[in-house]
Amino acid sequence: MALDAKIPAGEMDKKWTDYKGHVKLVNPANKRKLEVIVVGTGLAGASAAASLGELGYRVKAFCFQDSPRRAHSIAAQGGINAAKNYQNDGDSVFRLFYDTVKGGDYRAREANVHRLAEVSTSIIDQCVAQGVPFAREYGGLLSNRSFGGTQVQRTFYAAGQTGQQLLLGAYSALERQVALGNVKMYARHEMLDIVKIDGVARGIIARDLVSGKLERHFGHAVLLCTGGYGNVFYLSTNAMGSNVTAAWKAHKQGAYFGNPCFTQIHPTCIPVSGDHQSKLTLMSESLRNDGRIWVPKMKNDNRSPKDIPEDERDYYLERRYPAFGNLVPRDVASRAAKERCDEGYGVGTTKMAVYLDYKDAIMRYGRIEAGKSGMVNPSDSVVYGLGKKVVEEKYGNLFEMYAKITGENPYETPMRIYPAVHYTMGGLWVDYELQTTVPGLYALGEANFSDHGANRLGASALMQGLADGYFVIPYTIGNYLADDIRTPSIPTDHPAFVEAEKAVSERIQKLMSIQGKQTVESFHKRLGKIMWDKCGMARSEKGLKQAIEEIRALKKEFWSDVRIPGEIDAFNPELDKAGRVADFIELGELMCIDALDRNESCGGHFREESQTEDGEAKRDDVNYSYVAAWEAKGDGEWALHKEALNFEIVKPTQRSYK
C-alpha cells in the first residue's frame, strides 16, 4: 500500500491551524457513546486519557505498573522545551522547528515537527495551571536553561526531576477523570494483542498480571502510548519493565514499524561497572549546561583528576565544536566520547569514561553571589562555598544520586560519564493524525516514529508526549470517530475477540511448555550484547550481517531451551518477562535489517562505511531521504515501504556544530 502521511496542504506555519479549522467534529452527546482504549499512562497516555475523558469520551486506560504514577516518564530529569522566548535570546517557533529538524539530521517529517514547535508554548501554560513547580527566576518568571543542539535557552525544568513533576500534573488530570467516571483505570494489566474486525482496530486482549487471567476489551479506537524499546539492548537507562510488546503486537497485526534502527545513545550516563548490572543510570543532559567535559591529554593517565593541571586537559568538545562546545547534540557528544576512549584517553578503572567537571561553574556562580553581597576579594574557599549552594539548588538531586551510586562526591571530584542507550526515535509509523497503517489504531509519544528523525534533541521527549496527548490527538481522533458514531459497542464474544484471545493463550501455553534449562534473563543479556556490539554506537555491514545470524540462532535457542517457573493463571513476573524478551528478539532482528539497509550515517545511526574525513556522520540524501516503514510478512520476514521526506523549509545540509 502507498503510504499517505495526510499532511495538510498550504504554508507550513498554517497547516495545523487550517487542519483544526476544517476537521470533522463529534458532538458532546455522541462522544458519550464512543469508547476509546488508551494503553500506557506515561506523559502521552495520561494526557491523552485525561483530555479525551474531559471531552466526554468513555475511556479505558491500561498500565502494567501498579499505578500510572510509576510510568517511566518520571525518569526524565532535565527539562521540557518550549519556544516561549522568555530569555529574549532570539528563540521562536521557527527556531525550535529548525533546531529539531537539523538535530534529527534531516530525517523527520517537517509538518509534524512544525506542529510540535507550535503547540510547545501551550504545554507550559497547561502545566503551570496544573501546578507543576517549574523553577523560577528571582522575579517570579519561569526559568530556562540550555540543552544540546541549540544556541538559545528554551528548556523549562523542575530541578532534576522534570519528568516526575510533569507526570504528576498529567496524573492529577487523569485521576480527576477517573473520579468523574469518564475514565476507567486498569492497573497491573498488560496488552498482549490488538483485536481487528474487518481490518479496523476494535479492541485489545489484556492480561491481568496479578491473577494471570486474559481479558477482552472493546474500543472504537485504540491509542498506544507505550514508550520506546531501548531495553532491546538489555543495559539502558530505561526502567526494567519498559518493553516493546504492545507496539510489536500491533506491528504483527499490520501496523508498519518506522525507522527501527534509529536509537538514541545518551552521552551523560554513569559508566558500566560490571556484569552484575541490570540497568544504567542517566545523569541529566542539563549537567552539560554548566559542566565541562574533558579527558587527559596523555593516554592511560592514571592520576587523580585533581592532580591533572589545566594545560594537560583536553576539553575535546570545546576544541572540536567551538560554536556549540559542550552543548552539541547527543549523537555528536556520544561519538566524540567513544572516539576519545577508543583512542586510549578514557578514565576510571574501565577506561571507558570521560570527566564531567563542575569546578569552573561552581566558581563562576560563587563570584556572582559574592558580587551580589558586595564582597571585595573574597577567598577561593568562600567563593567555592557560595557557588556550591547555587549548584545544589539547580542540580542537587542529580549530584546526590551520583554520590549514592558511585560513592564519590561530584562537588569535589569530576563525575565520570559514558554514553548509554536511552531513547528510541523509531516506532510505529503514523500519519499526520498519529494514526498507524491499521485504521483506528493510533500511536503517541515515544511509541511512534514521527518527530525526531535520526536523533532526538534533549528535553524534546516530554514535549512530544504532552503535545500528542493534550493538543494533537483530541482533534485528530475526532476526525476519525466522526464517521464511527453509528457503530454500536461490539460485544466481546464476537468471533474476532474469541480468536484473538485463543491465539494469545496458545502462545503463553507454548512458552510455559518449553521447560528448558536457561533463564529468560540470560537470553535478554545475550541479545543485549549482540545489539550493543553490532547495532549500537557504530554499525558496519559485516557486524550487522553477523548480528542477524546470531539473533536468529538465539531465537531458535530461546524457543527450545527457555525455562519459566510458576503457573499461567497466577502472578508470574517471569512469564511476563519471557513474552517481552521473545518480542525483543524479533525486534532486534528487524533493527539490524533496517540498519543494514540504510547504508548511510545519520544522527544516532552511524555506519562506519559512511563518515567524513574527520569522523562525522555522512548522510546520503540522494538515496536515503525517506522513512523506512517495515511491514511484517511472516516469521522473520518484512517488506520495506518508503515515505519520501520533502523539505520545503529546512533544506538538508551537512550538519555542523563547529
Side-chain angles (χ1 to χ4, degrees):
M1 65 181 270
L3 285 172
D4 179 10
K6 296 187 191 164
I7 298 168
E11 294 173 38
M12 190 64 68
D13 58 355
K14 295 188 175 69
K15 287 183 191 294
W16 179 234
T17 302
D18 195 52
Y19 174 92
K20 290 189 292 183
H22 295 88
V23 75
K24 289 184 217 162
L25 300 175
V26 181
N27 83 39
N30 285 332
K31 285 191 181 97
R32 290 192 287 273
K33 300 174 190 170
L34 295 167
E35 297 178 56
V36 179
I37 287 173
V38 178
V39 184
T41 56
L43 286 181
S47 59
S51 301
L52 297 177
E54 181 77 39
L55 286 171
Y57 293 105
R58 289 153 59 198
V59 180
K60 289 181 178 178
F62 294 79
C63 70
F64 64 71
Q65 299 93 342
D66 58 353
S67 163
R69 289 194 310 279
R70 293 194 194 277
H72 190 58
S73 300
I74 67 160
Q77 297 166 340
I80 176 169
N81 289 331
K84 284 283 199 184
N85 195 29
Y86 280 175
Q87 305 298 318
N88 198 27
D89 57 359
D91 201 12
S92 63
V93 166
F94 178 83
R95 181 78 63 182
L96 176 52
F97 158 67
Y98 175 88
D99 286 345
T100 305
V101 174
K102 177 185 173 184
D105 219 353
Y106 307 96
R107 291 293 174 263
R109 188 191 289 151
E110 274 193 333
N112 285 62
V113 178
H114 199 281
R115 175 176 66 190
L116 177 66
E118 284 178 65
V119 304
S120 69
T121 56
S122 302
I123 296 170
I124 303 304
D125 298 339
Q126 170 96 2
C127 294
V128 169
Q130 287 173 338
V132 173
F134 286 121
R136 292 179 183 267
E137 303 287 6
Y138 179 74
L141 293 175
L142 297 184
S143 183
N144 290 122
R145 57 188 175 200
S146 303
F147 257 63
T150 72
Q151 290 177 306
V152 298
Q153 289 183 290
R154 66 162 66 101
T155 305
F156 295 77
Y157 62 98
Q161 47 183 269
T162 314
Q164 182 174 13
Q165 297 302 334
L166 290 172
L167 186 67
L168 288 172
Y171 169 74
S172 63
L174 171 63
E175 287 302 307
R176 178 171 178 269
Q177 295 306 315
V178 171
L180 292 171
N182 299 327
V183 176
K184 183 152 190 202
M185 191 67 229
Y186 293 85
R188 305 296 282 160
H189 279 67
E190 180 166 28
M191 187 205 103
L192 292 181
D193 214 347
I194 294 286
V195 179
K196 292 197 303 184
I197 299 175
D198 299 328
V200 177
R202 290 299 188 194
I204 65 169
I205 303 299
R207 183 165 180 267
D208 181 327
L209 297 179
V210 177
S211 69
K213 298 284 189 290
L214 295 178
E215 299 176 2
R216 309 168 190 173
H217 294 276
F218 164 78
H220 288 88
V222 177
L223 276 54
L224 298 184
C225 311
T226 49
Y229 49 87
N231 274 356
V232 69
F233 291 90
Y234 186 70
L235 283 180
S236 83
T237 66
N238 290 265
M240 288 297 288
S242 299
N243 64 83
V244 76
T245 289
W248 195 249
K249 300 306 186 197
H251 172 56
K252 296 188 90 169
Q253 289 277 14
Y256 292 3
F257 211 103
N259 297 335
C261 78
F262 286 170
T263 53
Q264 174 137 85
I265 313 294
H266 197 296
T268 322
C269 300
I270 296 178
V272 176
S273 59
D275 292 336
H276 58 283
Q277 275 179 277
S278 57
K279 77 177 294 295
L280 296 172
T281 302
L282 175 70
M283 299 310 296
S284 167
E285 181 173 315
S286 62
L287 293 173
R288 288 201 278 145
N289 191 53
D290 281 318
R292 299 179 73 195
I293 293 169
W294 63 276
V295 291
K297 286 183 178 176
M298 186 171 71
K299 288 188 181 184
N300 300 311
D301 192 331
N302 292 318
R303 288 177 292 173
S304 161
K306 295 177 189 173
D307 297 334
I308 300 175
E310 195 68 20
D311 61 352
E312 293 179 35
R313 299 178 178 192
D314 177 16
Y315 295 93
Y316 59 89
L317 291 176
E318 297 170 35
R319 169 173 56 81
R320 287 178 62 177
Y321 309 103
F324 282 73
N326 295 296
L327 288 171
V328 290
R330 291 174 174 179
D331 59 317
V332 177
S334 294
R335 273 197 302 279
K338 179 180 188 292
E339 184 272 334
R340 287 291 80 190
C341 292
D342 289 351
E343 289 296 314
Y345 296 96
V347 301
T349 50
T350 63
K351 299 298 181 190
M352 295 304 283
V354 299
Y355 288 127
L356 175 63
D357 197 331
Y358 253 74
K359 188 179 177 189
D360 285 358
I362 290 172
M363 296 302 285
R364 186 179 76 249
Y365 283 125
R367 283 189 286 272
I368 292 168
E369 292 302 302
K372 283 184 192 173
S373 304
M375 293 184 189
V376 180
N377 296 326
S379 67
D380 283 355
S381 62
V382 168
V383 170
Y384 186 86
L386 292 169
K388 185 181 171 190
K389 282 183 183 171
V390 177
V391 169
E392 272 179 347
E393 192 176 318
K394 290 184 89 164
Y395 307 105
N397 63 313
L398 299 171
F399 278 65
E400 281 172 30
M401 191 164 71
Y402 183 88
K404 279 181 182 170
I405 291 170
T406 65
E408 296 174 4
N409 182 345
Y411 292 105
E412 294 171 6
T413 304
M415 294 182 192
R416 281 172 291 111
I417 57 166
Y418 193 71
V421 172
H422 180 50
Y423 185 93
T424 49
M425 281 77 63
L428 294 178
W429 183 91
V430 293
D431 59 23
Y432 188 74
E433 298 184 315
L434 306 185
Q435 189 167 217
T436 68
T437 46
V438 174
L441 179 67
Y442 293 77
L444 282 65
E446 194 180 356
N448 75 36
F449 87 98
S450 69
D451 291 17
H452 307 297
N455 172 62
R456 178 176 68 77
L457 291 182
S460 287
L462 305 183
M463 176 172 64
Q464 188 208 347
L466 292 179
D468 287 356
Y470 282 137
F471 298 107
V472 178
I473 201 69
Y475 285 96
T476 63
I477 201 169
N479 197 41
Y480 170 77
L481 291 174
D483 296 330
D484 221 21
I485 55 175
R486 289 185 180 83
T487 304
S489 293
I490 298 169
T492 54
D493 58 1
H494 185 285
F497 278 93
V498 175
E499 191 59 39
E501 185 185 320
K502 182 166 170 274
V504 170
S505 180
E506 285 173 356
R507 187 170 190 264
I508 291 172
Q509 298 279 358
K510 186 180 175 187
L511 277 168
M512 290 297 288
S513 68
I514 298 167
Q515 290 303 304
K517 298 183 184 66
Q518 300 182 62
T519 65
V520 175
E521 192 81 350
S522 67
F523 281 104
H524 195 181
K525 271 189 174 179
R526 284 164 63 192
L527 172 67
K529 180 155 178 46
I530 296 168
M531 294 299 294
W532 177 248
D533 289 347
K534 291 168 182 168
C535 194
M537 288 179 73
R539 297 119 187 240
S540 68
E541 181 181 358
K542 181 184 172 191
L544 289 165
K545 284 179 174 174
Q546 286 173 348
I548 291 165
E549 293 310 312
E550 287 171 27
I551 291 168
R552 285 173 179 162
L554 187 72
K555 181 179 177 182
K556 207 170 172 184
E557 197 180 334
F558 176 91
W559 284 98
S560 61
D561 199 30
V562 74
R563 180 171 184 80
I564 305 165
E567 306 297 324
I568 290 175
D569 294 326
F571 178 69
N572 191 344
E574 203 65 12
L575 173 58
D576 308 335
K577 193 194 298 180
R580 295 166 192 168
V581 171
D583 294 332
F584 273 140
I585 291 171
E586 293 179 10
L587 166 72
E589 183 181 349
L590 178 59
M591 287 172 69
C592 293
I593 289 169
D594 185 40
L596 182 62
D597 188 74
R598 189 170 283 276
N599 192 13
E600 66 161 352
S601 290
C602 56
H605 168 65
F606 189 74
R607 282 289 294 268
E608 290 173 355
E609 303 90 341
S610 185
Q611 53 183 302
T612 63
E613 285 179 12
D614 52 356
E616 303 292 348
K618 187 178 177 186
R619 287 196 327 272
D620 178 355
D621 292 328
V622 174
N623 295 305
Y624 294 98
S625 193
Y626 61 76
V627 177
W630 295 90
E631 177 187 9
K633 283 294 195 183
D635 193 24
E637 288 182 30
W638 289 272
L640 174 61
H641 302 263
K642 299 175 182 178
E643 179 202 339
L645 292 169
N646 300 307
F647 295 93
E648 300 171 30
I649 313 286
V650 187
K651 301 296 183 189
T653 56
Q654 180 64 36
R655 271 195 316 169
S656 174
Y657 293 94
K658 294 180 176 180

